[in-house]
Amino acid sequence: MARPTSRHSRPGRTLLVLLALILALGGTMFLQKAFTPKLGLDLAGGTTVTLSPVTQNNAAPPDEILDRAVNIIRERVNGTGISDAEVAKSGSNIIISIPGVGQSEAIKLVATTAELRFRQVLAMEATQVPQNLTTNAPTPSPSASASQSATPKSSKSGSPAASTPQPSTSPTGKALSSALTAPTPATSVATQPPATENPQKQEKKGQDGKATPTAAPSGQPSTPPAQDQNAGVNTQGIDPAVLAQFNKLDCANPANRGQGVQDDPKKQFAGCETDGSYKYVLDVAKVVGTDIDTASAGVRQGTVEWVVQLDFKSKGAAEWSKLTTAAYNSQEPRNKVAVVLDGVVITAPNIISPIPGGRAEITGGFDQLSATQLADQLKYGALPLKFNRSSVDTVSSTLGQDQLQGGLIAGLIGLALVVVYSMLYYRGLGLVAVLSLVVATILTYTAVVVLGHNANFRLSLPHIIGLVVSIGITADSFIVYFERIRDEMKEGHRTLRAAVEVAWVRARRTILIADAVMFIAAIVLYFLAVGGVAGFAFAMGLTTLIDIVVVFLFTKPFIALLARLKFFAKGHPLSGLDAERMSEVGSSGRPTTPQEA
């Protein structure tokens, strides 16, 4: 008589692994206080934003540029591919439907252009910003925060920073971008005459060697000559038109800081810092956002400071090395490289050594949320067009609770029919099928909730359809296994315990092949489709993986435990493995059971 080997006698440990997985998912739900899945646009509503492109002469933009903008926006609002957001063209407009968010959040998500430039600073000047716009700001500006850990450039530059006392510095860690430091307010401004000194008013020395002021001619009013706005500023290489714009720029007023301006990377640029504390003349952009390969948010090593880490493409890495080398070999303030995002300087660090290798990081005043948002915007690219928001509307659910209840009822009916069929056909063995479906339901629900609160997965009607279809996938797996057990027992020379193990070796190959075909189909459909079809594919792929987990961690070990019970091992009429069902005609011509064999 064939007996199971020792390696097959540990089903209890396998069930403990499954229990640990369920407890982990459930514990995550409790820790995050998330007990219900997030719903998609068709079930919970959201916000619809219509963007209209802005072009010269109001001409229609080329289709390829509009398609690129659609792809970028789709990646932004649906970066994980499972949030059920919809982005589509309507003529020259782009319509974005985002589930479960308010108007302000939707606008912030889709309207930012994320045009990133790295420009060498040619000139800079401090701006008198009202006190309530700086010290009482609700969030710290990136540059202001970064300036607290500023490190001056070495004295070889010959800049005033070499002889001026500096504030204490903080460690910069071992990041590859440790060569970047933010400007020091006391010394990084281009040298200018003090406000109390008139450079046009000269002193002359008399014959006694004492300085005497130059008196104005008697009888005429004393009118000093006009003051040169750019006295002390190195204007070499600066476009006069840009210099004039720099002189007129008023960064103290937030409305004049140019947030959202799409600056031409091939031209010099005059712009403000985020908090308005400085204004700059910046050189042409040697490195731009399209040179970025990847962007991610993280904490700088050895600190608690959140930064945005950048990896450049091969061309961008070479240009970044040239840019930092040129800045390193320049005098104040041209030893700085400004990071310009959507027309505003978010930081302008000193370059204390050239930075090869194609890596950099943006620092200053970020928390986890703001760093992640900026990294996502840079990673998914800059919009090739400027858009105006034609309309922003809050939309109610298109299907609502009635359709949600209908889908759930349909799923319950299908589940009930499978249960009834399993119990009638497999009798006691059908209990394994029912419990397998219960375990699959628990895993599916907890996975949907956890994904919703960690990956923005939103349950829509296509997802529900995919989950309902999964009932058939799970049922198919344990039917394959049950029938394989019966085939082994009908040979007449195997006990139930031996048949369970031998049948599993053969059945699992069939189950894995079937699930692999289903999973491959789901992957192909997910990447080739968008919207609801992609949502259906994601749900189908998820439940296919859950089916494998259930069959391997529950169905097989649970049957192995049941095989030890006399109720099943001796072929009780209600077990589904009785003599009537398992009998075969032997050599004597009478039916024989596996137990008799």
Side-chain angles (χ1 to χ4, degrees):
M1 180 182 296
R3 295 185 180 275
T5 58
S6 59
R7 64 188 179 93
H8 296 130
S9 59
R10 298 178 179 177
R13 294 187 179 182
T14 306
L15 292 174
L16 288 177
V17 173
L18 175 64
L19 179 61
L21 176 61
I22 295 176
L23 291 178
L25 291 173
T28 303
M29 291 172 53
F30 278 96
L31 289 176
Q32 296 181 338
K33 297 180 179 180
F35 304 104
T36 57
K38 291 186 176 181
L39 301 180
L41 189 70
D42 54 355
L43 299 177
T47 301
T48 296
V49 182
T50 302
L51 301 180
S52 300
V54 178
T55 59
Q56 295 181 349
N57 303 322
N58 295 322
D63 287 340
E64 59 271 16
I65 295 181
L66 201 59
D67 290 337
R68 179 184 167 199
V70 169
N71 291 333
I72 291 173
I73 295 175
R74 181 178 290 125
E75 289 176 337
R76 285 190 188 177
V77 301
N78 196 21
T80 58
I82 58 177
S83 68
D84 204 41
E86 298 179 358
V87 182
K89 290 191 301 182
S90 178
S92 296
N93 296 332
I94 298 177
I95 300 177
I96 306 106
S97 299
I98 309 174
V101 300
Q103 292 189 7
S104 59
E105 185 179 351
I107 293 172
K108 185 177 181 180
L109 190 62
V110 304
T112 306
T113 58
E115 291 282 1
L116 186 70
R117 322 285 192 208
F118 290 89
R119 297 174 176 267
Q120 184 177 2
V121 175
L122 300 180
M124 61 183 293
E125 179 181 317
T127 303
Q128 295 296 328
V129 182
Q131 186 73 9
N132 62 346
L133 293 180
T134 54
T135 59
N136 296 330
T139 57
S141 71
S143 58
S145 175
S147 66
Q148 294 174 2
S149 60
T151 303
K153 188 177 175 180
S154 61
S155 58
K156 83 173 191 66
S157 64
S159 67
S163 59
T164 306
Q166 302 294 327
S168 61
T169 61
S170 62
T172 57
K174 298 180 180 180
L176 290 177
S177 60
S178 60
L180 292 178
T181 59
T184 304
T187 61
S188 58
V189 183
T191 306
Q192 296 203 16
T196 58
E197 180 183 353
N198 185 347
Q200 302 299 325
K201 181 178 179 180
Q202 304 291 332
E203 292 181 342
K204 68 178 182 178
K205 296 182 180 180
Q207 294 179 354
D208 57 358
K210 296 182 179 180
T212 58
T214 303
S218 59
Q220 296 182 3
S222 176
T223 304
Q227 182 178 356
D228 183 5
Q229 284 185 292
N230 302 119
V233 176
N234 180 8
T235 60
Q236 182 180 0
I238 299 178
D239 187 342
V242 176
L243 185 62
Q245 182 185 2
F246 169 75
N247 292 330
K248 297 178 180 178
L249 195 58
D250 178 17
C251 296
N253 186 350
N256 297 333
R257 293 175 190 168
Q259 181 68 48
V261 173
Q262 289 183 304
D263 51 309
D264 189 343
K266 299 180 181 179
K267 297 180 180 179
Q268 294 180 357
F269 177 70
C272 300
E273 198 153 349
T274 306
D275 62 353
S277 57
Y278 290 90
K279 62 179 181 178
Y280 299 86
V281 176
L282 306 174
D283 201 4
V284 297
K286 301 298 178 60
V287 182
V288 296
T290 54
D291 294 324
I292 296 175
D293 185 20
T294 60
S296 60
V299 178
R300 173 181 282 180
Q301 185 175 0
T303 71
V304 295
E305 180 185 11
W306 279 90
V307 297
V308 177
Q309 299 165 338
L310 306 177
D311 287 311
F312 295 106
K313 301 175 184 176
S314 56
K315 179 182 177 182
E319 293 298 325
W320 174 245
S321 178
K322 293 178 183 178
L323 176 61
T324 54
T325 300
Y328 172 69
N329 293 321
S330 301
Q331 303 293 322
E332 279 280 346
R334 300 191 179 196
N335 62 337
K336 308 178 190 300
V337 172
V339 182
V340 184
L341 180 67
D342 296 335
V344 176
V345 177
I346 61 175
T347 185
N350 292 339
I351 302 300
I352 60 175
S353 67
I355 309 177
R359 301 198 68 184
E361 65 183 25
I362 303 174
T363 64
F366 294 119
D367 56 18
Q368 182 178 3
L369 178 61
S370 59
T372 302
Q373 288 177 342
L374 177 57
D376 286 343
Q377 290 171 353
L378 299 178
K379 177 171 58 179
Y380 294 134
L383 296 178
L385 290 171
K386 184 176 181 180
F387 291 90
N388 287 334
R389 297 185 297 273
S390 300
S391 64
V392 181
D393 302 310
T394 300
V395 297
S396 59
S397 60
T398 56
L399 295 178
Q401 293 299 318
D402 292 340
Q403 283 75 10
L404 175 60
Q405 293 176 1
L408 295 177
I409 291 173
L412 291 175
I413 293 175
L415 183 62
L417 290 175
V418 172
V419 169
V420 171
Y421 174 82
S422 299
M423 296 302 294
L424 290 176
Y425 186 76
Y426 290 107
R427 300 182 183 181
L429 203 59
L431 178 65
V432 181
V434 174
L435 292 179
S436 297
L437 290 172
V438 171
V439 172
T441 301
I442 294 173
L443 286 174
T444 301
Y445 184 83
T446 53
V448 167
V449 173
V450 171
L451 283 173
H453 290 266
N454 293 276
N456 203 28
F457 173 72
R458 293 185 174 273
L459 196 62
S460 63
L461 191 59
H463 292 126
I464 294 176
I465 295 173
L467 298 180
V468 172
V469 170
S470 70
I471 298 174
I473 298 175
T474 304
D476 180 68
S477 296
F478 60 68
I479 287 174
V480 169
Y481 187 26
F482 291 171
E483 293 301 322
R484 192 69 238 183
I485 293 175
R486 286 184 167 186
D487 290 342
E488 294 297 329
M489 294 185 68
K490 285 178 180 179
E491 294 180 4
H493 59 271
R494 298 189 189 279
T495 63
L496 177 59
R497 294 183 64 178
V500 165
E501 302 300 342
V502 175
W504 171 246
V505 174
R506 299 180 180 180
R508 67 186 179 189
R509 184 185 303 111
T510 303
I511 293 172
L512 287 174
I513 292 174
D515 283 342
V517 171
M518 185 68 70
F519 190 70
I520 292 172
I523 290 178
V524 172
L525 191 61
Y526 174 78
F527 283 104
L528 294 183
V530 295
V533 178
F536 170 81
F538 178 83
M540 188 169 65
L542 174 65
T543 51
T544 301
L545 294 177
I546 291 176
D547 173 61
I548 295 176
V549 172
V550 171
V551 171
F552 276 74
L553 299 185
F554 179 79
T555 305
K556 190 271 175 183
F558 192 66
I559 290 180
L561 288 177
L562 294 181
R564 300 176 181 181
L565 302 178
K566 291 183 179 180
F567 180 82
F568 290 94
K570 296 300 182 180
H572 191 281
L574 296 180
S575 68
L577 298 170
D578 54 291
E580 181 181 353
R581 291 173 178 268
M582 297 291 101
S583 63
E584 69 174 12
V585 179
S587 59
S588 61
R590 71 177 183 87
T592 59
T593 66
Q595 288 77 11
E596 293 175 333

